[in-house]
Amino acid sequence: MIRFEHPLSERVRSFLRIEHLFVRFHRESMRCDSPWAHHLALFTLFEIMECAARAELKLDILQEIERQKQLLAGSRAASTEPVQLQQLQAVAENLQGIQQKFGQHLRENEWLMAIKQRMLVPGGTSPFDLSSYYFWQQLPHEQRLADLNKWIATLTPTYEAIAVLLTILRSNTRAVDCVAVNGNYQHNSLAQNIHMLTIELEKNKHALPEVSANKYFTHIRFLAASQESARGKPITEDMPFKLIMCSFDPVVA
């Protein structure tokens, strides 16, 4: 089975992008001792800086954490799941403890910003273009890894808070078995508290969902997976799939 997540708000879209980048950073930086793995990790670090640079992001996260704390405190789960309440409090305190602008310590590092700029140029980080970066790549794996962990450290509280919120989002779900007749599925409306749709289908169908959704109308069209065009051809056969509606609220209506 393969799952496709479709955010229904800009807030959730930002959360998913940041999660994707942090997961990639840690997988690539820990995967092996190759300088090329750390090159990709550093490139990902710069992507994280840009993706999470929006000033309102921290406020969005803290507001949702506070709302979750209030929901939890007012439910029976407060007595049965104190760990989740403590976790929410911990990530909120860690995030509030970062006083500087997101990624500010990286922007003040002239060496890193020179690399970031050269990474935008095809082949711009070759040894003769950035000899100091080439020298860093030849350092022992442990030293490069320590540098990467140092650079990501003040960004991590943002990721940890987002990870907790996405865990809540993915745990408050309602799943429905559906069939897209002739490759198309329509639903008149979604409940207001749905924040993300997840479409689950078999990999051997070689199909991709194209989702258009708002509070008034939901349309899912399945396209054939293709590596030759940006959008595959529409599938015209019936396509069974599972539609999972995800919410930050305890109960999906």
Side-chain angles (χ1 to χ4, degrees):
M1 302 297 285
I2 184 170
R3 284 189 167 196
F4 297 90
E5 292 181 330
H6 182 81
L8 298 180
S9 69
E10 189 60 35
R11 176 181 294 188
V12 176
R13 186 174 291 109
S14 294
F15 288 177
L16 291 175
R17 284 173 176 161
I18 294 168
E19 177 196 49
H20 168 75
L21 290 171
F22 268 95
V23 169
R24 192 174 79 189
F25 174 87
H26 288 294
R27 283 181 180 172
E28 295 305 327
S29 64
M30 303 296 182
R31 186 181 62 177
C32 66
D33 60 2
S34 166
W36 301 116
H38 287 177
H39 175 80
L40 179 55
L42 190 57
F43 182 79
T44 304
L45 178 68
F46 295 145
E47 284 192 280
I48 292 171
M49 286 176 55
E50 297 302 320
C51 188
R54 185 170 59 89
E56 296 81 10
L57 177 66
K58 183 176 180 179
L59 180 60
D60 286 346
I61 296 171
L62 291 173
Q63 285 179 340
E64 187 57 44
I65 288 176
E66 184 60 32
R67 198 176 76 88
Q68 289 299 322
K69 287 165 59 180
Q70 293 176 1
L71 288 171
L72 195 58
S75 69
R76 295 179 181 179
S79 59
T80 60
E81 298 183 21
V83 174
Q84 189 179 50
L85 192 56
Q86 294 171 6
Q87 192 177 32
L88 286 166
Q89 183 64 33
V91 295
E93 290 177 356
N94 290 341
L95 185 57
Q96 289 172 324
I98 304 298
Q99 299 299 323
Q100 62 184 184
K101 183 180 178 181
F102 187 89
Q104 185 61 34
H105 68 298
L106 301 178
R107 292 183 175 87
E108 293 173 353
N109 187 317
E110 184 180 341
W111 183 77
L112 282 175
M113 292 303 95
I115 296 171
K116 181 176 182 290
Q117 185 175 11
R118 293 301 301 175
M119 279 187 173
L120 300 176
V121 179
T125 57
S126 56
F128 64 84
D129 281 307
L130 282 176
S131 57
S132 65
Y133 181 52
Y134 174 68
F135 177 82
W136 180 80
Q137 291 178 307
Q138 309 313 307
L139 295 175
H141 166 258
E142 294 76 15
Q143 188 170 342
R144 284 185 274 113
L145 186 59
D147 286 337
L148 288 168
N149 285 330
K150 177 182 67 177
W151 295 328
I152 198 72
T154 61
L155 310 184
T156 301
T158 298
Y159 167 61
E160 291 175 341
I162 287 174
V164 170
L165 292 177
L166 289 179
T167 297
I168 294 172
L169 178 63
R170 292 175 175 129
S171 64
N172 295 325
T173 63
R174 177 188 170 198
V176 181
D177 291 322
C178 305
V179 175
V181 180
N182 297 325
N184 285 271
Y185 173 83
Q186 295 183 3
H187 187 73
N188 288 337
S189 64
L190 292 172
Q192 291 185 354
N193 62 344
I194 304 299
H195 302 105
M196 183 174 73
L197 296 178
T198 300
I199 294 106
E200 183 179 274
L201 65 156
E202 295 180 8
K203 282 185 181 180
N204 59 14
K205 296 293 185 181
H206 297 282
L208 308 174
E210 186 179 68
V211 183
S212 176
N214 54 46
K215 63 181 180 180
Y216 303 110
F217 185 74
T218 301
H219 178 226
I220 302 174
R221 180 172 65 166
F222 287 92
L223 307 174
S226 171
Q227 287 73 52
E228 297 180 355
S229 60
R231 296 174 71 250
K233 295 180 179 179
I235 291 176
T236 56
E237 62 185 69
D238 291 354
M239 182 66 59
F241 68 99
K242 181 175 290 186
L243 179 63
I244 304 170
M245 293 165 278
C246 307
S247 175
F248 283 119
D249 298 325
V251 179
V252 179

